[in-house]
Structures are given as C-alpha cells and as structure tokens.
Amino acid sequence: MEPGNNTQSSELFLLGFSEDPELEPLIFGLFLCMYLITVFGNLLIILVIISDFHLHTPMYFFLSNLSFVDISFTSTTIPKMLQNIENQSKVITYEGCIVQVYFCIFLAGLDDFLLIVMAYDRFVAICHPLHYTVIMNPRLCGLLVLVSWMVSAMHSLLQSLMALQLTFCTKVEIPQFFCELNQMVQLACSDTFLNNMVMYLASVLLAGGPFAGILYSYSKIVSSIRRISSTQGKFKAFSTCASHLSVVLLFYCTSLGVYLSSAATHSSHSSAIASVMYTVVTPMLNPFIYSLRNKDLKKALKRVYGIISIKRPIVLGQMKCP
C-alpha cells in the first residue's frame, strides 16, 4: 500500500481480547450485561433527577450530565465490539475508527472536566455555605458545563484531524477492542513526532490541570471540615462529597492503572483488559456509588418507586372494570 493513497478507504482490525472462538460467546454475554447495566443505571439517575424537584440543584445538574456522558462513552465502543463478535469479524472502517477516536477523546475529556466542576461545587458548598446559592447560580452552572463541552470538543477535533494525517504502510491491527489514538499513532509509518507532542501536552494540560484543581478543592474542603467543632457536623459535611470523591478515585486510579499496565507490559491482551476498567467498569459503577452513598438520591429513588407502585394497582383496577 502506498502511504497516503488508500488509507481513507482501507479497513483496520480490532484484535479485541481473545482469538479463541469458544470464548467469544462468554465475552459477548459479559459485555452485553455490563453495557445494559451502565445504560439502565445512568438513565435511571437522569430520570430520577429530572422527575424529583428536590434534586434540581447544581450538584445533581452536574451529576445528570456525568451520567449522560457515561452512557455516550460506553455506547461509542461496546456496540461495535458486540457487532464484530456477532458477525465474527474484527474489521472497522478507517472513517469509523476516526469517528470512534473523536468521541472517545471528547467524552473522556468531558468526564474529566465534569469531575473538576463537581469538585468546585462541593468546595463552594462546604467552604462558603452562606453564599452557595449566590455563587452557584443557574447561569454559572450552565456556563461551566458549556465551557467543558466546548473545550473537550475542540481538543478531540484537533486530535482527530491530526490522526487523519497518519499513513499506514501495512495491515493495521489495533490491539484493543476500540480505536485508541495512542495505538494508531504507534502503528503509523509516517512521522508521528507532532502527534506525540500534542498528545503529551494535552495530557498534562487537560488531565493534569483538572486533577490539580480537584486536589486543591479537596485540600480546602478538608481544611474547612477540620475547623468544624462537632463530630456530627464533620460527618455531615464529609458525606456530601463522599460519593464524588469515590468517583474521582475510581476514575483516576483506573486511568493510572491503564497507563502503568501499558508501560510495564507489551502484551496486547493485558492492555485491552486494563482499558476495560476506565471505558466500561467506571461508567457502570458510577450509578451504584451515587445511589448507595447519597441519601437524597436514595430518597428520590424510593419516591419514584412509590409513585410507580401506587399507579400500578390503579391501572390494573381500571383494566378490570367493565
């Protein structure tokens, strides 16, 4: 293949987890279950927040955005993988791969930005409780989310446009279950110096920046909590940010685990399995973390369940009436 001439119409191959056909039904069933749990759990969070006016606050507005992003993130990768297993194929078109790269970068970055926005919300709520409603007004909340979407979109667009300039001299086999930009850059036969520089710079600014902001916010939160005299007050203040802190630790620990595993081992299957942690497991666990550790959300879920339970006998009674 002549570099640059046939790349746009070529096909790439996603190697996935295993080449053993006997394992494919197990992998298909496992990922289908995880995908359905992720979609149902996050969709339930969104519907509960929309339906319960008690949750119409900045914290839950950001949480509903995070749930939407998690649904979109898993929907970018898992359905294509399931389709390939069903069709017994590992092929993805070059155009489809670029689109997948764009949305993976966009949604992963948006996830990161929403976490720092939520950390800022908890910082204001605990460190400046008397001014919380004034500072976290609807206009600022909407602006924070809008800026997060715009910066993530521009970053992913830049990375995708640069990926379009890559050329491949041989059959492209990506050792992942989705198109990952880093793997594509490594497999390219063209000069990738600029691509690597932009990726590393973006990682420092767009990943390290929000992480530093989260650390700063929680350092101030811990300092404020320590000044509270009563133990009950300290526990109540900490409980308001426990769910968010758990999600932050899960997100960054899994991302760090993927980076360390890819740097420590050259096994493609190990790298693919590690990637599952932040692309599938983290979005799947987020609804459980918030619903189990958040009292307001648990009460809202019970209220919604109570309304459904009341309406069901009424509907059944109307159906029995002549």
Side-chain angles (χ1 to χ4, degrees):
M1 182 186 298
E2 185 177 342
N5 290 343
N6 300 320
T7 304
Q8 295 295 338
S9 59
S10 65
E11 293 179 337
L12 291 78
F13 297 86
L14 301 175
L15 299 183
F17 299 98
S18 174
E19 297 181 0
D20 187 356
E22 295 181 356
L23 291 177
E24 288 190 348
L26 177 62
I27 295 173
F28 182 91
L30 178 62
F31 276 84
L32 179 61
C33 289
M34 289 194 294
Y35 178 65
L36 292 176
I37 291 171
T38 301
V39 172
F40 177 76
N42 284 286
L43 188 60
L44 182 62
I45 295 291
I46 294 172
L47 293 176
V48 168
I49 291 173
I50 292 174
S51 62
D52 195 319
F53 71 92
H54 295 94
L55 302 181
H56 292 177
T57 61
M59 174 183 174
Y60 295 104
F61 170 68
F62 299 138
L63 177 58
S64 62
N65 276 270
L66 183 67
S67 295
F68 175 77
V69 171
D70 286 340
I71 293 174
S72 303
F73 193 25
T74 52
S75 298
T76 301
T77 56
I78 302 302
K80 178 57 181 175
M81 187 197 74
L82 296 177
Q83 181 189 19
N84 281 359
I85 294 176
E86 180 69 21
N87 297 334
Q88 296 183 347
S89 169
K90 297 181 182 295
V91 174
I92 184 171
T93 63
Y94 185 81
E95 293 81 2
C97 192
I98 293 297
V99 170
Q100 201 174 68
V101 165
Y102 173 83
F103 281 104
C104 284
I105 296 174
F106 170 56
L107 295 167
L110 189 53
D111 228 343
D112 202 14
F113 282 119
L114 287 174
L115 289 177
I116 178 60
V117 169
M118 295 172 76
Y120 176 71
D121 172 73
R122 293 300 84 203
F123 161 74
V124 176
I126 294 174
C127 299
H128 306 283
L130 299 178
H131 302 93
Y132 177 74
T133 55
V134 176
I135 297 174
M136 300 303 296
N137 57 76
R139 183 179 179 181
L140 177 62
C141 294
L143 183 62
L144 289 173
V145 171
L146 179 62
V147 170
S148 299
W149 280 73
M150 290 179 63
V151 173
S152 298
M154 288 187 292
H155 168 234
S156 57
L157 181 62
L158 172 64
Q159 296 281 17
S160 301
L161 290 175
M162 293 188 65
L164 282 171
Q165 307 305 315
L166 297 174
T167 55
F168 305 95
C169 304
T170 58
K171 179 181 178 181
V172 183
E173 295 182 339
I174 301 175
Q176 278 285 4
F177 64 96
F178 66 100
C179 287
E180 190 179 45
L181 179 61
N182 186 47
Q183 296 288 347
M184 290 184 66
V185 172
Q186 291 180 10
L187 294 170
C189 63
S190 56
D191 184 19
T192 60
F193 175 77
L194 188 58
N195 296 79
N196 286 315
M197 287 298 296
V198 171
M199 281 196 300
Y200 293 140
L201 184 63
S203 298
V204 172
L205 295 178
L206 302 181
F211 182 67
I214 291 172
L215 288 179
Y216 175 79
S217 296
Y218 273 100
S219 67
K220 293 296 183 180
I221 288 172
V222 171
S223 178
S224 297
I225 290 176
R226 289 181 62 184
R227 289 198 293 267
I228 299 175
S229 56
S230 65
T231 305
Q232 185 178 1
K234 290 181 179 179
F235 177 79
K236 186 177 180 180
F238 178 76
S239 64
T240 61
C241 56
S243 298
H244 175 257
L245 184 59
S246 301
V247 171
V248 167
L249 290 174
L250 181 64
F251 179 83
Y252 281 103
C253 287
T254 52
S255 300
L256 181 62
V258 170
Y259 173 78
L260 293 177
S261 65
S262 61
T265 180
H266 298 286
S267 172
S268 60
H269 295 310
S270 299
S271 178
I273 292 171
S275 297
V276 173
M277 292 302 297
Y278 80 93
T279 57
V280 183
V281 175
T282 300
M284 183 183 68
L285 292 181
N286 284 352
F288 293 99
I289 293 173
Y290 274 100
S291 60
L292 293 176
R293 299 185 65 89
N294 190 295
K295 292 182 180 180
D296 293 333
L297 201 54
K298 283 195 288 187
K299 290 178 181 178
L301 286 168
K302 290 178 180 178
R303 281 194 290 267
V304 172
Y305 178 76
I307 293 171
I308 295 173
S309 300
I310 291 171
K311 287 184 177 180
R312 190 181 300 166
I314 294 174
V315 173
L316 292 174
Q318 290 175 347
M319 292 174 62
K320 292 179 181 179
C321 291

